[in-house]
């Protein structure tokens, strides 16, 4: 982008910057080039995307151009847009995100839906106890708590930085009092005398370790590997949770997990071998792929 334009020549206004950037992103094979250009420019100018069209002839200052050029440079290096802007929408809520947390995906909303179906809107004086394992940005537990405020929510996270991010997001949405966050490697920090949970939910790492580097560069090069790496078969965390959850679930409680689209058969076998569950249900995502396992404890 030639930013040497002056008022005596041609100014870089919003419309011209968007057109140039869209072409530039297209040439560099960046996904959704126009949308990406709009999101980054709106963020650089502290505007909503719709404002770009209401102010299409507004010129950019040299400082604004400098900020935007840096965003473009980072995106060309395949840094995810969510990390550049520091935010991502999930469940119609805005979440702060950083490289310390996995970026929330639309498919994970299927996990939230599967959990909410089993949580009554009214507590009738008996709130359910819900635990999320590996909360990351807190997107899942915050989305659930925003819909069913009367229940008791807990969320664990191994990464201290991620736990802090989750707490920040709960605070942004006014849910700090509704969710108790704590640091733990899965169930490790729980005490043996703790009251059992009615529901445990998790979107654990489930990518085969040897396949991570072959993922899109936005994922392989930037998102936390700890949140992706499912070990040699992609099932290590899932297997651990399925086997350990019965110790912490109430009889008749549910374990709800996000899985890889090719892991249904393996997960059904793991649940059967565990012998603690009386029902195993697989739910598909919006693209028709197996995505959520819902296990009912005996």
């Amino acid at each position: 982008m030639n930013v040497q334009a002056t008022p005596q020549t041609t100014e870089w206004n919003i419309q011209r910057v968007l057109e140039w950037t869209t072409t530039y992103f297209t040439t560099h094979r960046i996904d959704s080039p126009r949308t990406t250009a709009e999101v980054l420019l709106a963020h650089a100018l502290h505007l909503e995307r719709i404002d770009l069209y209401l102010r299409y002839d507004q010129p950019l200052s040299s400082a604004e151009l400098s900020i935007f050029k840096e965003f473009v440079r980072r995106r060309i290096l395949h840094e995810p847009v969510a990390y550049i802007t520091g935010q991502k929408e999930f469940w119609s809520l805005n979440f702060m995100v950083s490289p310390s947390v996995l970026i929330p995906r639309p498919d994970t909303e299927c996990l939230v839906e599967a959990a909410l179906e089993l949580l009554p809107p009214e507590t009738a004086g008996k709130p359910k106890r819900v635990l999320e394992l590996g909360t990351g940005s807190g997107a899942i537990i915050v989305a659930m708590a925003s819909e069913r405020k009367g229940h008791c929510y807990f969320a664990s996270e191994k990464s201290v930085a991620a736990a802090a991010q989750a707490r920040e997001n709960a605070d942004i949405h006014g849910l700090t009092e509704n969710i108790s966050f704590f640091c733990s490697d899965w169930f490790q920090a729980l005490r043996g005398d703790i009251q059992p949970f009615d529901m445990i939910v998790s979107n654990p790492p489930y990518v085969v370790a040897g396949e991570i580097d072959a993922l899109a560069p936005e994922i392989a090069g930037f998102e936390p590997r700890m949140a992706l790496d499912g070990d040699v078969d992609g099932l290590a965390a899932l297997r651990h949770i399925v086997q350990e959850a019965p110790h912490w679930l109430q009889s008749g409680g549910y374990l709800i997990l996000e899985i890889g689209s090719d892991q249904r058969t393996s997960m059904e076998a793991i649940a059967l071998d565990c012998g603690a569950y009386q029902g195993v249900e697989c739910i598909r995502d919006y693209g028709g792929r197996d995505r959520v396992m819902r296990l009912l404890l005996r």
Side-chain angles (χ1 to χ4, degrees), residues 117-185:
E117 285 178 3
L118 303 173
L119 277 180
E122 302 297 331
T123 62
K126 295 185 66 175
K128 301 292 185 182
R129 290 168 55 81
V130 180
L131 169 65
E132 183 190 6
L133 298 170
T135 192
S137 67
I140 293 171
I141 204 73
V142 168
M144 291 178 63
S146 73
E147 296 284 349
R148 304 283 193 271
K149 289 187 172 70
H151 299 288
C152 300
Y153 297 94
F154 305 83
S156 74
E157 173 55 55
K158 183 178 181 179
S159 164
V160 174
Q165 185 91 83
R167 286 191 185 93
E168 179 183 6
N169 282 319
D171 183 56
I172 288 170
H173 296 291
L175 295 167
T176 305
E177 300 299 320
N178 303 72
I179 309 169
S180 297
F181 294 95
F182 61 98
C183 287
S184 178
D185 186 359

Side-chain angles (χ1 to χ4, degrees), residues 25-48:
F25 281 159
T26 301
T27 302
H28 287 77
R29 299 181 179 180
I30 297 298
D31 289 340
S32 305
R34 179 69 181 199
T35 298
T36 300
E38 291 175 1
V39 169
L40 294 180
L41 184 57
H43 186 63
L45 300 179
H46 304 288
L47 298 174
E48 299 295 327

Side-chain angles (χ1 to χ4, degrees), residues 88-289:
K88 179 68 176 179
E89 183 179 290
F90 180 85
W91 201 258
S92 298
L93 301 171
N94 196 43
F95 287 88
M96 305 302 291
V97 296
S98 67
S100 64
V101 301
L102 196 71
I103 298 170
R105 266 74 166 173
D107 285 340
T108 301
E109 293 187 357
C110 298
L111 174 63
V112 176
E113 290 177 352
L116 291 178
E117 285 178 3
L118 303 173
L119 277 180
E122 302 297 331
T123 62
K126 295 185 66 175
K128 301 292 185 182
R129 290 168 55 81
V130 180
L131 169 65
E132 183 190 6
L133 298 170
T135 192
S137 67
I140 293 171
I141 204 73
V142 168
M144 291 178 63
S146 73
E147 296 284 349
R148 304 283 193 271
K149 289 187 172 70
H151 299 288
C152 300
Y153 297 94
F154 305 83
S156 74
E157 173 55 55
K158 183 178 181 179
S159 164
V160 174
Q165 185 91 83
R167 286 191 185 93
E168 179 183 6
N169 282 319
D171 183 56
I172 288 170
H173 296 291
L175 295 167
T176 305
E177 300 299 320
N178 303 72
I179 309 169
S180 297
F181 294 95
F182 61 98
C183 287
S184 178
D185 186 359
W186 305 126
F187 301 98
Q188 192 174 67
L190 297 180
R191 302 188 312 270
D193 59 348
I194 194 171
Q195 182 181 343
F197 298 97
D198 298 284
M199 180 183 294
I200 297 174
V201 299
S202 184
N203 175 20
Y206 55 73
V207 180
V208 174
E211 297 177 359
I212 293 177
D213 289 335
L215 297 175
E218 286 82 354
I219 301 172
F222 292 90
E223 298 204 62
R225 190 158 292 234
M226 183 175 71
L228 298 168
D229 192 342
D231 213 340
V232 293
D233 61 357
L235 298 168
L238 287 163
R239 185 182 294 109
H240 175 75
I241 293 171
V242 169
Q243 292 172 347
E244 291 297 315
H247 300 297
W248 309 103
L249 267 176
Q250 185 78 259
S251 177
Y254 281 89
L255 172 62
I256 306 175
L257 301 167
E258 180 169 328
I259 65 169
S261 59
D262 59 347
Q263 294 175 330
R264 175 177 180 171
T265 301
S266 297
M267 287 299 298
E268 289 174 338
I270 291 170
L272 180 63
D273 289 344
C274 181
Y277 302 95
Q278 60 178 312
V280 180
E281 176 188 10
C282 188
I283 299 170
R284 292 181 175 177
D285 61 25
Y286 309 129
R289 299 167 297 238

